[in-house]
Amino acid sequence: MTFDRLPVRRAGIDTYQQPVVYMRSDCHVCRAEGFEAQAQVEVIDNGRHLLAILHHVSSDWLARDEIALSDVAWTTLGAMDGDLVEVRHPPVLDSVAHLRGKVHGRPFTYEALRALMDDVSHGRVADIHLASLITLCAGDGLDIEETVALTRAMVDVGERVAWDETPVMDKHCIGGLPGNRTTLLVVPIVAACGVTMPKTSSRAITSAAGTADTMEVLAPVDLDLPAMRRVVEREHGCIVWGGNTRISPADDILIRVERPLCLDSHGLLIASILSKKAAVGSQRVLIDLPVGPLTKVRSTAAAEALSKGLVTVGAALGMQVRTVATDGTRPVGRGIGPALEAIDVMAVLERAPDAPQDLRERALTLAGWVLEMAGKASDGAGRAMAREVLDDGRALAKFIAICEAQGGLRVPPQASHTHVVVAHASGAVAAIDTRLLARAAKLAGAPRDPSAGAVLHVQPGDRVEVAQPLLTLHAQSQGALHYALNFMRTQLPVVRLEAGA
């Protein structure tokens, strides 16, 4: 069967991670194939395949017999302006039948999940089917055997890394706590001790900054696997964005659909974390579980349940996993947003007098546990070793060396506009709403604008007077700054005071 070809061009439209193609509804291919708006179509260019959602266009910016691609579709397909591409209905997927089996009470097998994850990782599964998969996994939808099978399947459909040295260490935080950028401190401390620690990190999904966003302010993070290997072999550690590799490639696609649904699933969370750890060759993993009423883990009981799953699944994949429940009731450090968090990290590494001590102490504790797990320090002696490496400058030197190996150390950018939010009454800081704080930083532009976000000037327990600064918003435009301020004026206070305390 032959297909008519259409000239392709870039639409210049950002559709985030969802590939979208644009065609006129009166295009002869649309009419011949019966393509409806929101249909999934397959685009083929010189042997490269892309599955995308079709949007119909009725205006003249697109010629009748022409096709345009959104930014992510353009990059994924690797097209060039003027290429002649084929557009057709995608093939029928046998793997989707396993979703119906799960609906009718049949547990997922490894074979079923392997087929599903293979199709997911190659972009062959429509969002509506991805949403049904996530819904089926929500809550207690996956038992421990299914979680192990899903984790294995996510690893097996991507690339894997093996290292000559042992042990290979890793550290992960499940997130939900603004400013908790300890990874950028733990990795250089551990690597400076000669321990191998290849760290792949994620960008922000719902927060004001992910580890990769903050690291990118200071050094390139979009390394492929060969480049990552060269950095680790040279410096014992790295901090790179996992999305530029094919390490557990299905995970990023599932996350894109999972977040808007706001459905919690311990099984999906465990598979997401541990599939990437296993694929990158990690052997011993420390996982930070911030516990607090506004974090992902809201109680000690929830932390214990999640911890049990992480340890069990990790063991099934040959990894030693240790979890630690930490304080998730208050932000960490002062900066919220990529550049502002990077400034905090550098202040700790440079042993600046005004460096945020909570970030320093939290990182030292975690680094100490990693060193003990690696056998580099005896039980109870890891924190002292980590403190010595930080205080004598070895951690700073190692961090600079890692940045140089990844492409060069950068200076964090500064926002064009700031606004200081002050106390309207005297009293003691009773609490800081971490969710509202993160939301305000995002509305100010973070992480899209790396310099945007917020800087806290107080912590719970501090005494404040009238007109004393509570926080400063940073933005690249007046519009974004006003948007964040208007949001704060319509919400409960981000910083709650107890008057007269």
Side-chain angles (χ1 to χ4, degrees), residues 349-363:
L349 286 169
E350 293 169 349
R351 293 95 69 204
D354 62 344
Q357 292 303 299
D358 57 345
L359 176 61
R360 169 190 161 91
E361 296 305 314
R362 197 180 188 100

Side-chain angles (χ1 to χ4, degrees), residues 267-449:
L268 283 177
L269 177 62
I270 291 168
S272 173
I273 294 170
L274 295 185
S275 64
K276 289 185 174 178
K277 304 307 178 189
V280 82
S282 301
Q283 298 165 343
R284 304 175 191 176
V285 184
L286 177 70
I287 299 181
D288 178 9
L289 307 178
V291 180
L294 300 177
T295 64
K296 294 180 182 179
V297 182
R298 300 183 183 180
S299 67
T300 301
E304 291 173 350
L306 181 56
S307 174
K308 182 178 178 181
L310 287 162
V311 171
T312 302
V313 175
L317 272 72
M319 291 181 291
Q320 176 191 343
V321 175
R322 176 180 178 180
T323 64
V324 54
T326 57
D327 180 13
T329 61
R330 60 176 68 195
V332 180
R334 290 188 291 265
I336 312 298
L340 301 173
E341 293 177 21
I343 290 170
D344 279 355
V345 167
M346 293 307 299
V348 172
L349 286 169
E350 293 169 349
R351 293 95 69 204
D354 62 344
Q357 292 303 299
D358 57 345
L359 176 61
R360 169 190 161 91
E361 296 305 314
R362 197 180 188 100
L364 286 176
T365 298
L366 295 172
W369 280 325
V370 173
L371 290 170
E372 292 173 19
M373 289 178 68
K376 200 71 177 180
S378 59
D379 289 349
R383 198 176 192 281
M385 179 181 287
R387 182 188 298 110
E388 181 180 349
V389 172
L390 179 61
D391 287 346
D392 67 14
R394 279 180 285 166
L396 173 61
K398 178 56 67 176
F399 184 77
I400 293 172
I402 290 172
C403 289
E404 293 297 340
Q406 290 185 196
L409 182 64
R410 299 165 170 167
V411 177
Q414 293 184 340
S416 302
H417 304 276
T418 61
H419 180 88
V420 180
V421 177
V422 301
H424 295 295
S426 61
V429 178
I432 296 174
D433 192 312
T434 55
R435 285 190 179 178
L436 291 180
L437 176 63
R439 179 66 173 159
K442 288 180 65 178
L443 292 176
R448 182 187 64 256
D449 294 327

Side-chain angles (χ1 to χ4, degrees), residues 458-495:
V458 295
Q459 286 289 345
D462 289 352
R463 173 79 190 181
V464 299
E465 302 299 332
V466 175
Q468 182 175 331
L470 300 176
L471 62 91
T472 300
L473 287 172
H474 292 237
Q476 278 298 89
S477 69
Q478 284 284 7
L481 188 65
H482 290 156
Y483 192 21
L485 285 170
N486 287 336
F487 166 78
M488 291 180 62
R489 293 188 183 107
T490 61
Q491 302 295 318
L492 294 171
V494 171
V495 179

Side-chain angles (χ1 to χ4, degrees), residues 2-16:
T2 60
F3 297 88
D4 290 334
R5 295 174 179 269
L6 297 175
V8 66
R9 68 182 176 91
R10 188 170 190 167
I13 299 174
D14 182 3
T15 55
Y16 188 43

Side-chain angles (χ1 to χ4, degrees), residues 172-323:
H172 182 82
C173 177
I174 66 166
L177 189 59
N180 192 21
R181 215 46 65 212
T182 55
T183 292
L184 275 68
L185 298 166
V186 173
V187 170
I189 290 172
V190 172
C193 294
V195 177
T196 300
M197 194 169 182
K199 184 71 178 77
T200 59
S201 300
S202 60
R203 297 187 185 277
I205 302 294
T206 59
S207 64
T211 297
D213 300 310
T214 301
M215 182 64 180
E216 192 171 38
V217 169
L218 298 167
V221 296
D222 54 346
L223 280 65
D224 58 19
L225 281 181
M228 185 184 83
R229 180 180 288 279
R230 288 193 295 271
V231 174
V232 175
E233 289 175 346
R234 173 175 154 182
E235 301 298 342
H236 289 288
C238 69
I239 306 170
V240 301
W241 175 48
N244 205 43
T245 67
R246 277 195 58 81
I247 291 174
S248 189
D251 184 48
D252 290 328
I253 297 171
L254 290 174
I255 287 174
R256 175 179 59 79
V257 179
E258 182 182 5
R259 293 308 186 197
L261 292 175
C262 296
L263 293 175
D264 292 327
S265 168
H266 277 187
L268 283 177
L269 177 62
I270 291 168
S272 173
I273 294 170
L274 295 185
S275 64
K276 289 185 174 178
K277 304 307 178 189
V280 82
S282 301
Q283 298 165 343
R284 304 175 191 176
V285 184
L286 177 70
I287 299 181
D288 178 9
L289 307 178
V291 180
L294 300 177
T295 64
K296 294 180 182 179
V297 182
R298 300 183 183 180
S299 67
T300 301
E304 291 173 350
L306 181 56
S307 174
K308 182 178 178 181
L310 287 162
V311 171
T312 302
V313 175
L317 272 72
M319 291 181 291
Q320 176 191 343
V321 175
R322 176 180 178 180
T323 64

